[in-house]
Amino acid sequence: GEVVDLIKKHYFQGHELDVSKIIIELGDVCWYIATLAHGLGVDLETVMICNIEKLKKRYPNGFTIEDSIYRAEVTD
């Protein structure tokens, strides 16, 4: 949430983009993801492989803006 808030403030409220704060907050995000994956008994490599496979199904010919707008949700 804090990463998104920093980006929102930059794009929509005219704040300077504070890259150093974003980097620090991204570190927190990484820890949350790693801890959740560990709690589920899965490694981060498996999480990323599953994400890549989902995206391959969603965008079999590669990403396009049009496909992104009109895509069907991939649920499996």
Side-chain angles (χ1 to χ4, degrees):
E2 298 209 24
V3 173
V4 173
D5 192 50
L6 289 166
I7 293 169
K8 173 195 73 174
K9 285 180 179 181
H10 172 68
Y11 282 106
F12 300 109
Q13 299 173 359
H15 294 231
E16 287 292 319
L17 186 62
D18 192 332
V19 174
S20 62
K21 281 186 180 178
I22 291 174
I23 291 169
I24 290 168
E25 295 304 332
L26 285 174
D28 288 344
V29 171
C30 288
W31 279 108
Y32 299 145
I33 292 168
T35 301
L36 180 56
H38 178 75
L40 296 172
V42 64
D43 59 49
L44 292 177
E45 182 179 8
T46 301
V47 171
M48 295 309 299
I49 289 169
C50 289
N51 181 256
I52 290 167
E53 293 303 315
K54 175 191 75 176
L55 293 173
K56 284 180 180 178
K57 288 178 185 176
R58 186 176 290 163
Y59 305 109
N61 299 313
F63 177 83
T64 68
I65 292 172
E66 185 173 323
D67 287 344
S68 176
I69 293 169
Y70 299 107
R71 72 177 173 84
E73 185 66 30
V74 175
T75 56
D76 54 324

